[in-house]
Amino acid sequence: MNVDQLTKLLEDVKNQECEIHTALELLKTLPYEDLSYAKVDHHRELRNGYPEVIYSPGKTLNQIKGIVENMMERSTGNILASRAERDVFDTIKSITPDAIYYEEARSVVVKREEYKTTDDYILVVTAGTSDIPVAEEAAITAMVMGNQVKRLYDVGVAGIHRLLGNVPIINHAKVIIVVAGMEGALASVVGGLTDKPIVAVPTSIGYGASFGGISALLGMLTSCASGIGVVNIDNGFGAACMASKINKL
């Protein structure tokens, strides 16, 4: 249930268009609904501004199906499933024709209403083409959460002229997500070019001594550029959530 739905329910009770006992029945499952294998948090959009997102790995297809069905019964908004493989999409598609698969982002959206769009935009920047899957997770998540998103891909420090030729789009963003593997230097470089807040995402891309993204993570955490916040390795979703909140301030 979101703010608009709750407001309408209270107005209906006030205008005697809805019985009090009917409203109470609707509110009984507002905090969460216990499916035994999951407690679906129907209150999250009221608290955090966006509904619960389904993290797909570790869940069976039947569990995902049950969670999606329950969320569709209790809300009319969009539903996002992250880190979703093709079989997850096929399962959700069997429930509703509104399911869309963003394959590169590994994200499934049950799109039941148009995405809202902010005037200000989030810019998603990658060091290399190999970082794009993590960047797309961030971009799609931010888009579904109601943000205008722009992309600037493959502008890493090995060919820094590619980045320097795009300074205007960097400086016009409200917030920037920088996605980079290897040594993670791109976050520092972008941080030295702009006064905009940066959410840095280290990726697991790189050779042996990159240690699956730990080198990029440590490089971003120890950046000498100011105004950089760092999320976990490959966590495009978390970066999008943070950037969305900043963009909507």
Side-chain angles (χ1 to χ4, degrees):
M1 181 173 286
N2 57 37
V3 173
D4 292 338
Q5 290 172 313
L6 184 57
T7 300
K8 185 178 186 307
L9 177 62
L10 294 174
E11 287 177 345
D12 287 347
V13 172
K14 177 183 177 181
N15 298 330
Q16 298 184 337
E17 295 174 1
C18 176
E19 297 290 338
I20 291 178
H21 70 271
T22 302
L24 286 173
E25 287 297 317
L26 291 171
L27 292 172
K28 277 182 182 178
T29 56
L30 178 58
Y32 67 90
E33 194 155 354
D34 193 345
L35 304 181
S36 75
Y37 54 83
K39 292 177 174 60
V40 184
D41 186 1
H42 296 300
H43 191 261
R44 190 167 303 185
E45 187 170 5
L46 287 171
R47 299 194 319 271
N48 294 347
Y50 194 80
E52 182 174 12
V53 173
I54 303 165
Y55 179 75
S56 303
K59 295 181 177 67
T60 68
L61 295 177
N62 281 335
Q63 288 172 342
I64 292 171
K65 181 179 180 181
I67 293 169
V68 171
E69 287 176 335
N70 183 261
M71 293 179 74
M72 290 179 65
E73 289 172 4
R74 301 295 296 150
S75 174
T76 59
N78 297 324
I79 299 169
L80 174 62
S82 67
R83 298 296 169 95
E85 301 298 338
R86 173 67 63 171
D87 57 351
V88 172
F89 167 66
D90 292 339
T91 297
I92 297 175
K93 188 73 172 178
S94 71
I95 304 170
T96 170
D98 295 330
I100 301 170
Y101 191 35
Y102 297 95
E103 188 166 8
E104 199 161 29
R106 291 184 297 165
S107 300
V108 178
V109 179
V110 179
K111 188 178 181 183
R112 297 191 289 171
E113 59 183 18
E114 290 300 314
Y115 303 136
K116 298 175 182 177
T117 305
T118 54
D119 292 330
D120 294 316
Y121 65 86
I122 296 170
L123 178 65
V124 183
V125 185
T126 74
T129 302
S130 298
D131 300 310
I132 288 177
V134 176
E136 277 300 295
E137 179 181 62
I140 295 301
T141 301
M143 179 184 71
V144 174
M145 289 182 170
N147 299 276
Q148 181 186 171
V149 177
K150 294 187 179 182
R151 296 163 170 83
L152 181 60
Y153 289 171
D154 194 26
V155 291
V157 298
I160 201 166
H161 57 288
R162 301 171 298 177
L163 178 69
L164 298 178
N166 287 280
V167 171
I169 191 174
I170 292 171
N171 282 327
H172 288 129
K174 180 76 171 288
V175 56
I176 303 162
I177 298 173
V178 177
V179 184
M182 302 292 185
E183 80 290 1
L186 183 62
S188 292
V189 175
V190 176
L193 292 173
T194 184
D195 62 349
K196 301 303 189 294
I198 294 170
V199 183
V201 188
T203 73
S204 52
I205 298 301
Y207 299 103
S210 68
F211 299 112
I214 293 176
S215 292
L217 172 64
L218 295 177
M220 291 172 172
L221 286 171
T222 56
S223 172
C224 65
S226 58
I228 298 175
V230 186
V231 298
N232 210 343
I233 298 168
D234 292 337
N235 190 9
F237 171 79
C241 293
M242 175 62 73
S244 178
K245 290 187 176 185
I246 294 171
N247 192 40
K248 294 180 179 180
L249 287 176

